[in-house]
Amino acid sequence: MIYFIGAGPGDVELITIKGKKLLENCDVVIYAGSLVNPELLKYAKDGAKIYNSATMNLDEIINAMKDAFEKGADVARLHTGDPSIYGAIREQMEALDKLAIPYEVIPGVSSFSAAGAVLKRELTVPGQSQTIILTRVEGRTPVPEEESLNALAKHKATMAIFLSINQIEKIAGDLAKVYGSDTPIAVVYKATWEDQKIVQGTLSDIAEKVKEAGICKTALILVGNFLSDEYDFSCLYNKTFSHEYR
């Protein structure tokens, strides 16, 4: 069996219990070496064969899985965060389907959840935003035209922007035209890792602050008024609001 496991955002204790148990028992581990905390490999069983997929192409990854499966070995395919978000797992699963090799996907804690946690902010704060947009801007990999940052910004929702920190100046400038230049924004570098960094500001000054902090990769951008101090209390715990359980 092949197990696609969400390794979490960085902190080795943020892998799920199920993911950790599988990692401890699999004979082969293929991990996304450019992003997954290598400390997680300490959970691997003694003698497990370990591959770093950062140096492998799709065919090499599938061949390693196929070889392990044919030898009766279980494989832990370790992805950063949650594998369903920018995990490039669909093509791997379809290749396994063609080979009739069974697999299972184990969800994990995404970096956008981890960033909200280390910022101590609720991403869907009442009165400010009840919607989270997860996106990235166009780089070497294109983005559908209807999903451009300008198109998404009109909703003024909480926005988590992945894989785009190297374009922070352009992103801040584009978003300022819609959100307003005084809208709060946070950049979280390697959320929950030991060398985590948090840079906060507004759309007007964040680019310079990020440059001063020396952040140019492995960071998530969070923008929206959920970061402000103004919001409405939830109805859920309001003593004058009744619901099924109260």
Side-chain angles (χ1 to χ4, degrees):
M1 175 77 83
I2 314 299
Y3 297 99
F4 291 92
I5 301 172
D11 184 336
V12 295
E13 293 185 341
L14 288 178
I15 189 172
T16 64
I17 294 173
K18 184 171 184 177
K20 179 175 179 289
K21 286 181 177 178
L22 288 169
L23 181 55
E24 290 171 335
N25 288 286
C26 282
D27 308 289
V28 175
V29 178
I30 305 174
Y31 77 106
S34 60
L35 296 169
V36 170
N37 189 341
E39 290 295 307
L40 283 162
L41 298 179
K42 292 180 179 179
Y43 294 148
K45 68 190 294 186
D46 290 342
K49 189 169 185 178
I50 296 176
Y51 296 88
N52 179 355
S53 65
T55 64
M56 303 166 72
N57 60 40
L58 178 61
D59 288 342
E60 290 170 333
I61 292 168
I62 298 303
N63 285 336
M65 292 178 177
K66 180 175 179 288
D67 181 64
F69 177 73
E70 289 175 347
K71 293 177 179 176
D74 289 328
V75 177
R77 176 65 172 113
L78 206 57
H79 281 265
T80 186
D82 180 274
S84 69
I85 303 174
Y86 303 114
I89 63 170
R90 180 164 176 173
E91 58 257 42
Q92 296 176 66
M93 294 188 293
E94 289 183 351
L96 294 176
D97 286 336
K98 291 177 182 177
L99 295 169
I101 296 175
Y103 57 86
E104 184 178 345
V105 181
I106 314 301
V109 178
S110 173
S111 59
F112 84 88
S113 298
V118 300
L119 287 167
K120 298 182 174 66
R121 284 293 189 269
E122 180 180 352
L123 302 179
T124 54
V125 65
Q128 292 292 2
S129 177
Q130 293 292 285
T131 301
I132 303 170
I133 295 175
L134 309 181
T135 190
R136 55 176 291 274
V137 298
E138 183 169 355
R140 294 180 64 190
T141 303
V143 169
E145 184 177 346
E146 60 271 23
E147 294 181 14
S148 70
L149 207 58
N150 289 334
L152 298 176
K154 65 182 181 180
H155 300 289
K156 294 189 177 180
T158 296
M159 193 176 291
I161 306 172
F162 290 71
L163 307 168
S164 306
I165 191 61
N166 62 327
Q167 298 188 56
I168 184 61
E169 187 170 358
K170 183 179 186 305
I171 289 168
D174 288 346
L175 291 179
K177 297 173 186 176
V178 183
Y179 281 81
S181 60
D182 60 345
T183 298
I185 181 172
V187 169
V188 183
Y189 169 79
K190 295 179 74 171
T192 76
W193 291 63
E194 290 186 0
D195 55 347
Q196 165 189 292
K197 291 182 184 178
I198 297 174
V199 178
Q200 293 184 261
T202 65
L203 288 171
S204 63
D205 63 17
I206 193 65
E208 185 61 31
K209 289 184 175 182
V210 167
K211 183 179 179 181
E212 290 173 356
I215 299 172
C216 58
K217 62 179 181 178
T218 325
L220 183 74
I221 302 166
L222 286 170
V223 61
N225 284 318
F226 76 95
L227 287 164
S228 74
D229 293 326
E230 297 180 9
Y231 68 97
D232 298 334
F233 277 26
S234 170
C235 292
L236 182 61
Y237 302 114
N238 188 322
K239 62 184 178 182
T240 65
F241 186 82
S242 61
H243 52 70
E244 181 182 359
Y245 298 99
R246 190 181 66 229

